[in-house]
Structures are given as structure tokens and as C-alpha cells.
Amino acid sequence: MPEATAPDDDAVRIDLISGARMDGLTSMEKIRLILDTVRNGDIVVLEEGLSPEEESKLIEVTMTEISPDDFTGIEIETYPHSHAKSGGILGRIMGKDEEAKKLTVIGPANQIETLHKDENLISALVSRK
Amino acid sequence: MGLLTNLRDSISRVTDGLFSEAEPKRIGIYGPPNAGKTTLANRIARDWTGDAVGPESHIPHETRRARRKENVTIERNGKTVTIDIVDTPGVTTKVDYKEFLDHDMEKDDAVKRSREATEGVAEAMHWLREDVDGVIYVLDSSTDPFTQVNTMLIGIIESQDLPVLIFANKTDLEGSDVKRISDAFPQHETVPLSALEGDNMDEVYEKIAEYFA
């Protein structure tokens, strides 16, 4: 759901989507928002990432939309897992998924390439459409 | 007549109970493309049933549809487990038919292969949420395990509370580094093996019997 259009065809738009905005969407609405943006050749940066269930559905839906010479899929990057789950059992009972609270970058597979990733930095190269 | 019917019903209930207890566990073999999933599935199937599961190849996405080998009974150290092995296509977030052209494939065949691969991956992801009782996650120990797909897949498996064993395959290759895999996923047991050469299969079967029995 774009609010602004790119000034010219060569530009790459980056949508930085807050956790609050994603919280108000169903899983399928989140996936639709991501894939519609990425299929338009733009990059999505999610403040809080997706749950494992949503990631699984994102891969599944992405696969059903891949088509030759049109859409080859997505590149997705999140900071590596921290194995110390501060939420623990209580967090899981309360429905808090600490692992989902990670900034995530998603873009078209043919335009975005990850150059470097560590616990604090994702470095990506984005080519024009 | 009534007595016989009752007796038959009782026997049926008992045997139904026994069979449901003994129902094979569906163990999905997951991992990225070219990790050696089908080679491992074939090794296990051949060792315990004499039959293979499917063809192996160095071309990515040789397995485009999940293949199942049913009722594979594995016995080790007094433990017995009967499993249905589900060999799945390599999970990825992108499939480009052009990468198949590098393997001397015509465009039509490459497009067909990529279509089948995407359908297979979608199916495998659906089954991971709905249809498997445990997971064998196969990684190529000669490549970097810190990929987003691996991290996501392990997270998805953990969120389903499925028992998972990580197999560090291809230990016969020169660049193999099993520690890199165990360091990447320290919360799970990592078993080194070469499915191609049949190295360390005793421990593989021991762990399968232990984890999935």
C-alpha cells in the first residue's frame, strides 16, 4: 500500500514499516503488504520482523508467485538469532516472541544482495530496477 | 452371535490401539538445496529396506516434489523406531530458472524445473506446519551455515516444538567444518556424516532411534 510514488523509474523506494503498523495487520495482510511492495521493485524494512509462522507462510506464498522473467523471489535478512531468550517460558506464555523483535530487510531477489551481516549490521547492495 | 460380535469389537479396539501406538512417525528431511538430503534419504532407505527414495544429482532442485519412503524400521541399542521418511525439496526464498541454464539445460526445461521447484518448496513449507512429527535438518558442512534460510527454518521448526536433529553432511569434502555448524546452532545436537560415503551412519541411526522413538 504505497503512500508515495517514486520520483522516477530508476529510483528504489524503501518502506520502513513500524511495529505498530504491522501489529494491526493479520498474518496474510502482512505477507501481502511485503510481497506487493517487493514485487513492485521496492525494499521493505520491518521494525519488528515476522513470527516463525509468518516467515513460513511468507516463503510458501513467495513460491506460489515466482514466475519466469518476472519475479524470482525475495532476499530476506535479519540479524542472527541471539540464543539467550530473555523472554523465556514466561515470555512465551505471555505470547511475546522475543525472536520476532528483530529488524528485517526484504527485497526483490534480483535487486538486493547481502554483502555483510553480523549481530549489529546488515550491509546490502541494492541495484536499480 | 452377540457375544462373538462383542468379542470381535473388543479385539478390534485393542488392535486399533496397538496400531495407533505403533503408527510410523513422519520425519521430514529438510535443508537448503544441494545439502545432500536425497543422498541421505536413499542411504537410510537402502540400509533398512533395500530400496532408494529418489534420484540424486549435483544440479540444484533435483528433488522438486517431496518423496516418501514408508515404514522404515530402524533399530539401534535396543531402541526401535518406525518412520516414514519424507525427502523434501531444498528450501529457498528464490528460484531463478536462469541458474539451471548453467547446467546445460534448455530454457523450456529450466523453466519447467523452476516451476516444479517452487511448487515443491511451497508444499514442503506447508507440511512443516501441518504434517511432520520430527525433522532431520541436513546441512553441507563445507559451506557457511549462517544463511537466513537456515536461521528461519530452524526457528520455524523450533516454534512448532518438533524434535530436530542437525546432520552436518559431506564430511568427506576437504572444506568440511562440523564445528562451524554446531557453533551456529548450539541449541541442537549436530551429528557429522557423509551420506555419500556412508561415514558415521552408526551414530546417525543411534540418534534417530533416540530422538524419534
Side-chain angles (χ1 to χ4, degrees):
Chain A
M1 64 177 77
E3 267 86 25
T5 52
D8 62 67
D9 287 345
D10 279 344
V12 176
R13 199 183 69 197
I14 301 174
D15 284 351
L16 308 163
I17 303 178
S18 73
R21 177 158 181 186
M22 292 297 265
D23 278 348
L25 302 177
T26 65
S27 292
M28 278 316 292
E29 284 171 336
K30 289 180 194 175
I31 289 163
R32 208 54 274 156
L33 170 65
I34 292 165
L35 282 180
D36 286 350
T37 309
V38 170
R39 290 197 63 174
N40 198 36
D42 301 323
I43 311 295
V44 181
V45 180
L46 304 176
E47 184 190 21
E48 291 188 358
L50 298 169
S51 70
E53 173 97 3
E54 289 164 347
E55 286 177 342
S56 161
K57 284 181 182 162
L58 177 64
I59 298 173
E60 188 178 338
V61 178
T62 300
M63 287 298 124
T64 64
E65 301 201 357
I66 288 175
S67 61
D69 298 321
D70 176 28
F71 177 58
T72 57
I74 60 171
E75 191 70 55
I76 178 167
E77 282 298 354
T78 304
Y79 298 124
H81 276 229
S82 163
H83 297 300
K85 293 185 181 179
S86 54
I89 293 170
L90 188 62
R92 292 184 80 169
I93 291 169
M94 301 294 284
K96 290 180 181 171
D97 188 352
E98 295 296 324
E99 297 295 323
K101 308 280 185 197
K102 295 268 192 170
L103 185 140
T104 300
V105 183
I106 306 161
N110 60 349
Q111 279 176 249
I112 188 168
E113 181 191 349
T114 305
L115 300 176
H116 173 78
K117 181 174 78 164
D118 62 32
E119 285 187 16
N120 305 301
L121 173 75
I122 296 170
S123 178
L125 181 69
V126 182
S127 59
R128 291 192 177 90
K129 291 173 218 177
Chain B
M1 186 70 177
L3 186 64
L4 278 175
T5 306
N6 287 344
L7 185 61
R8 196 169 55 217
D9 286 350
S10 299
I11 291 168
S12 175
R13 275 197 299 275
V14 170
T15 52
D16 282 354
L18 284 174
F19 282 124
S20 64
E21 280 289 310
E23 206 166 89
K25 306 265 174 61
R26 283 153 302 184
I27 305 301
I29 301 185
Y30 282 81
N34 273 7
K37 296 180 293 300
T38 302
T39 307
L40 175 64
N42 282 342
R43 169 74 60 181
I44 297 172
R46 280 198 196 102
D47 280 356
W48 297 96
T49 71
D51 295 327
V53 174
E56 302 158 22
S57 157
H58 65 286
I59 306 172
H61 297 293
E62 180 63 35
T63 304
R64 271 101 67 199
R65 276 283 192 262
R67 298 190 191 96
R68 190 178 293 229
K69 184 73 186 171
E70 296 182 334
N71 292 310
V72 179
T73 300
I74 294 171
E75 294 175 42
R76 268 294 181 279
N77 297 341
K79 287 189 175 135
T80 302
V81 61
T82 300
I83 59 174
D84 289 348
I85 299 170
V86 185
D87 179 30
T88 69
V91 176
T92 179
T93 58
K94 56 195 172 190
V95 178
D96 187 349
Y97 78 88
K98 293 188 188 78
E99 71 180 286
F100 302 130
L101 299 177
D102 297 337
H103 295 274
D104 296 329
M105 211 175 276
E106 295 296 319
K107 184 181 175 184
D108 286 352
D109 290 337
V111 168
K112 182 168 177 274
R113 193 180 187 93
S114 71
R115 283 212 179 97
E116 289 170 351
T118 55
E119 286 170 19
V121 174
E123 199 173 57
M125 293 311 296
H126 185 77
W127 284 356
L128 185 56
R129 294 196 307 271
E130 309 285 343
D131 198 41
V132 294
D133 300 310
V135 173
I136 288 171
Y137 199 82
V138 182
L139 288 163
D140 176 346
S141 62
S142 69
T143 62
D144 179 12
F146 269 119
T147 66
Q148 187 65 27
V149 168
N150 288 338
T151 309
M152 277 167 56
L153 259 288
I154 295 290
I156 292 164
I157 293 161
E158 287 171 351
S159 74
Q160 302 283 315
D161 285 328
L162 291 169
V164 56
L165 265 174
I166 294 181
F167 285 172
N169 191 24
K170 304 195 184 185
T171 53
D172 55 297
L173 296 184
E174 204 170 300
S176 168
D177 186 349
V178 176
K179 189 173 181 303
R180 189 166 52 177
I181 292 178
S182 54
D183 287 349
F185 304 106
Q187 69 276 38
H188 299 291
E189 187 152 8
T190 298
V191 183
L193 78 147
S194 166
L196 187 68
E197 301 293 334
D199 296 340
N200 205 34
M201 292 307 292
D202 277 344
E203 189 183 355
V204 165
Y205 295 134
E206 195 178 302
K207 293 297 176 189
I208 289 175
E210 185 185 326
Y211 269 65
F212 304 125

